[in-house]
Amino acid sequence: MLIQKKSKLFLVVAAIACVGSIATFIYLTHQRYKAYSSVETGKVVPGEAIMATFVSPTPHALSQLQNFGTPETQALIGQGIQAFQQQSLAGTAINFNRDIQPWMGGVMVALLPRDPVKPASEPQLLMVVGIKNQWKAWLFAQKLKASSDIEIQQSQYRGITLSHYLEKSGKQYHVAVVNDQLVIAAHPEPVKRAIDTFRGSPSLVSLSGQSNLFLKSANLSHPLVIVLIADYDRFTKEVATTWPEASDLSLSPLSSLTSIQSVIFAVGVEPEGLRLKAIAQLRPTATISRRSPEFGEMVNRFPTETLAFVNSHDLHQLWLQFLNLGKNNPPLENLTRQIRLGLQAIDLDADTDVFGWMDGEFALGAIASEKGVLAALGLGGVLLIETSDRPAAERMLNKLDAIIANSNPPINIEQNVLAGVEVTEWNDPKQGTLFGHGWLSSNLMFVAFGGPVVEAITQKPQHPLNQSQQFQSISKFLPSPHHSYVYLDMEKITGWAMGYLLASPAISLQPNRMMMLNSIRGLGISATFPDVSTVEVEMVLVLKPKS
């Protein structure tokens, strides 16, 4: 009987222990989710935030990063992270790896607008840190309290303790624990505004629109960093006014993008490498071209020896947008003026003779070749342009031919037929064909640099670029259909640079940068227009597996 009672007691204890373990697991899992979640962090960030950045050091994303790069590259990145940690904690007795990392989850930094009650005040920065391990966070707090180098004062605000830390070095910060989040700011006002938000004022989570996409990490599987600029125009003005030194970061060109209302930037880790995503919400007055065809015949014209490929539409519209940006930006305005003057010098009008007829699809590519005139450079280039106004294009080409024919030293203008295509060649008596141009179809013009590339573009390659394994390994990760596309074979580009560009004693590249380049297989960028008010740009950086 005693044995049976002990057995029943053991079973009860085991059951309680099992349930307790499950409950503990669920609690810890939930806490970990909350610690890394932008949704939880966004609950205490005021909805009027001008900008918010969320850094999510999730274990899975960080472990994925370990699968890429050479040991030298990983060591270089590690040194950079360590230097940042030491700089940010300089003058304190805090060690990041020992004191902060064990309990820190996701981090959100928000730029709040000026206090409406104090018009002369400046925008305030607010930091919100998720707590993934409350016990270790408590130990860290006790360590701060016990430190003789830090003076602590505490007060209450709406039922939450607000702590003021003052170091001997003069650094000070205000801290509160709100909803399992550590809220930090240099001044008390942002922390109080975060508490007000937690108590019911509008937050990023309670708002709709772009904030939803921000909180969903721009739909990336394993996000690392995501940035929301809620009011693009206001953000650039606030930064330029509050921090004049930001002019060194060349914010002035960005402030000219008046058609943009809000922006989201995101960086995530994927099995193939890194994915970067930018989503811009346009103002109702903005006009964009939404034609989004997939790759047409142009990509089929480029061989697998292509190092770089750019494909988009309507150069004429791009030129008009460039002119519009220049109206409020002196550097861009000066650049457009120089382009106009340069073309005028050879009797060409930029608006009508050059860009006016470029209204269709276009592609630009760099093709590796060591033959003929390209032997010293190692590559040539091709530009394909589709147009609805062939006579205008031919008038421009005829003007260029006439200028070259009268050049000194003389360049011969010769007519040739290659693979059934009539080609006008600019032929140097000593080096051979420098340039060639012609029509691959009734509305598709080409201009090519280097005789070997002229020959290559006039015939369809046996192995086109879009059938190469490298091209497919990059393009398959990007959305389709798209409006614009950029493809870079970084392995070939790096190899070419080492053999030609960097071989010159006059050109040198820091070893650190070379190591970073050697860890990249390829790069792809695409632009799409999901609707009339949204532009999405995605970039995938395909990295070499860990060696």
Side-chain angles (χ1 to χ4, degrees):
M1 181 66 68
L2 182 60
I3 294 176
Q4 288 180 345
K5 287 184 178 180
K6 287 184 177 180
S7 298
K8 289 181 180 179
L9 179 61
F10 174 78
L11 290 173
V12 171
V13 172
I16 293 173
C18 180
V19 172
S21 299
I22 293 174
T24 302
F25 173 77
I26 293 174
Y27 172 76
L28 292 177
T29 303
H30 180 61
Q31 287 298 104
R32 182 170 291 269
Y33 165 76
K34 290 176 66 177
Y36 292 128
S37 169
S38 59
V39 174
E40 288 296 322
T41 309
K43 289 178 180 179
V44 298
V45 175
E48 70 268 19
I50 301 171
M51 181 210 67
T53 300
F54 184 69
V55 181
S56 175
T58 54
H60 183 77
L62 295 177
S63 65
Q64 285 274 15
L65 280 178
Q66 300 298 318
N67 297 328
F68 305 111
T70 62
E72 294 82 4
T73 305
Q74 292 189 349
L76 183 64
I77 294 174
Q79 291 170 7
I81 294 174
Q82 187 176 10
F84 170 76
Q85 293 170 356
Q86 291 173 350
Q87 256 187 352
S88 59
L89 297 174
T92 72
I94 300 172
N95 179 279
F96 180 84
N97 291 328
R98 181 192 63 216
D99 299 323
I100 298 178
Q101 190 178 42
W103 59 266
M104 186 183 75
V107 178
M108 187 176 289
V109 179
L111 178 66
L112 304 183
R114 304 170 192 272
D115 190 340
V117 182
K118 302 175 182 177
S121 64
E122 296 181 349
Q124 302 287 342
L125 286 175
L126 173 71
M127 179 182 292
V128 183
V129 183
I131 301 175
K132 70 179 181 182
N133 190 312
Q134 294 188 5
W135 170 247
K136 291 183 178 179
W138 182 83
L139 291 177
F140 174 64
Q142 298 309 304
K143 180 178 180 178
L144 288 179
K145 289 181 179 179
S147 174
S148 59
D149 297 329
I150 301 177
E151 179 184 334
I152 304 175
Q153 296 179 351
Q154 291 185 326
S155 60
Q156 293 290 314
Y157 181 75
R158 301 192 67 175
I160 293 177
T161 301
L162 180 59
S163 301
H164 174 211
Y165 294 85
L166 177 62
E167 300 179 3
K168 286 186 176 180
S169 62
K171 291 183 179 180
Q172 63 174 344
Y173 33 94
H174 298 259
V175 180
V177 177
V178 182
N179 193 32
D180 295 326
Q181 316 281 334
L182 195 65
V183 182
I184 309 169
H187 304 282
E189 289 80 10
V191 178
K192 291 180 179 179
R193 290 163 81 175
I195 295 173
D196 291 339
T197 303
F198 175 65
R199 292 301 188 200
S201 297
S203 69
L204 284 180
V205 174
S206 64
L207 300 178
S208 59
Q210 288 289 79
S211 59
N212 286 337
L213 198 54
F214 168 69
L215 297 167
K216 293 177 182 177
S217 301
N219 297 326
L220 292 180
S221 302
H222 307 294
L224 283 176
V225 180
I226 180 167
V227 180
L228 167 67
I229 300 177
D231 189 328
Y232 188 83
D233 185 52
R234 185 177 182 182
F235 169 74
T236 54
K237 289 179 180 177
E238 290 281 16
V239 171
T241 302
T242 308
W243 297 287
E245 62 274 13
S247 59
D248 297 335
L249 301 176
S250 301
L251 278 174
S252 54
L254 296 177
S255 62
S256 300
L257 303 179
T258 54
S259 60
I260 295 179
Q261 183 168 315
S262 61
V263 186
I264 292 175
F265 298 99
V267 181
V269 184
E270 301 287 344
E272 69 277 3
L274 291 176
R275 181 181 294 272
L276 291 82
K277 195 170 184 178
I279 304 169
Q281 194 76 24
L282 304 180
R283 299 187 186 280
T285 55
T287 57
I288 57 174
S289 172
R290 290 195 61 214
R291 288 189 297 170
S292 303
E294 295 193 57
F295 291 119
E297 290 297 315
M298 289 191 180
V299 71
N300 296 328
R301 288 282 183 178
F302 288 81
T304 54
E305 291 79 14
T306 302
L307 285 71
F309 176 75
V310 178
N311 186 203
S312 190
H313 304 268
D314 206 342
L315 275 169
H316 177 241
Q317 185 64 33
L318 292 176
W319 169 249
L320 294 178
Q321 291 175 358
F322 191 67
L323 293 177
N324 188 51
L325 291 178
K327 292 179 181 178
N328 302 314
N329 189 288
L332 289 182
E333 187 178 16
N334 183 59
L335 179 59
T336 57
R337 186 184 304 112
Q338 294 302 318
I339 292 174
R340 289 183 184 279
L341 292 174
L343 291 172
Q344 286 176 8
I346 57 175
D347 194 27
L348 288 174
D349 182 270
D351 299 306
T352 58
D353 295 334
V354 181
F355 296 106
W357 53 269
M358 300 180 181
D359 55 359
E361 185 179 356
F362 71 88
L364 178 66
I367 301 174
S369 176
E370 297 179 345
K371 299 177 182 178
V373 70
L374 300 178
L377 185 59
L379 58 78
V382 178
L383 174 63
L384 302 182
I385 302 178
E386 199 175 49
T387 179
S388 62
D389 191 353
R390 178 167 174 167
E394 289 182 334
R395 284 195 295 270
M396 186 200 75
L397 293 173
N398 290 336
K399 284 186 178 182
L400 292 177
D401 290 342
I403 293 170
I404 294 299
N406 297 317
S407 63
N408 186 21
I411 301 294
N412 299 326
I413 306 299
E414 301 178 356
Q415 303 299 321
N416 200 354
V417 177
L418 300 174
V421 177
E422 295 182 0
V423 180
T424 300
E425 296 181 341
W426 299 356
N427 202 308
D428 182 278
K430 296 181 180 179
Q431 301 181 70
T433 301
L434 300 178
F435 280 90
H437 63 78
W439 294 86
L440 300 178
S441 67
S442 60
N443 65 341
L444 180 57
M445 186 200 79
F446 79 88
V447 177
F449 166 63
V453 175
V454 174
E455 293 180 13
I457 204 64
T458 54
Q459 51 191 316
K460 291 189 176 181
Q462 294 182 347
H463 304 288
L465 175 63
N466 62 338
Q467 293 182 11
S468 71
Q469 182 178 357
Q470 182 77 322
F471 183 88
Q472 292 179 357
S473 68
I474 294 175
S475 61
K476 70 180 181 181
F477 295 114
L478 293 170
S480 182
H482 51 261
H483 178 274
S484 303
Y485 187 86
V486 176
Y487 161 80
L488 300 178
D489 187 330
M490 293 304 297
E491 288 182 302
K492 288 181 179 178
I493 291 175
T494 303
W496 168 79
M498 291 294 293
Y500 291 89
L501 186 63
L502 300 180
S504 171
I507 301 175
S508 61
L509 192 67
Q510 295 180 358
N512 290 350
R513 295 183 180 179
M514 203 66 232
M515 281 192 293
M516 296 298 291
L517 287 176
N518 283 328
S519 66
I520 302 173
R521 284 184 53 209
L523 180 147
I525 306 174
S526 72
T528 58
F529 298 91
D531 54 60
V532 294
S533 63
T534 307
V535 180
E536 291 189 8
V537 178
E538 288 198 42
M539 183 179 84
V540 59
L541 199 64
V542 179
L543 303 176
K544 293 180 181 178
K546 183 178 179 180
S547 59

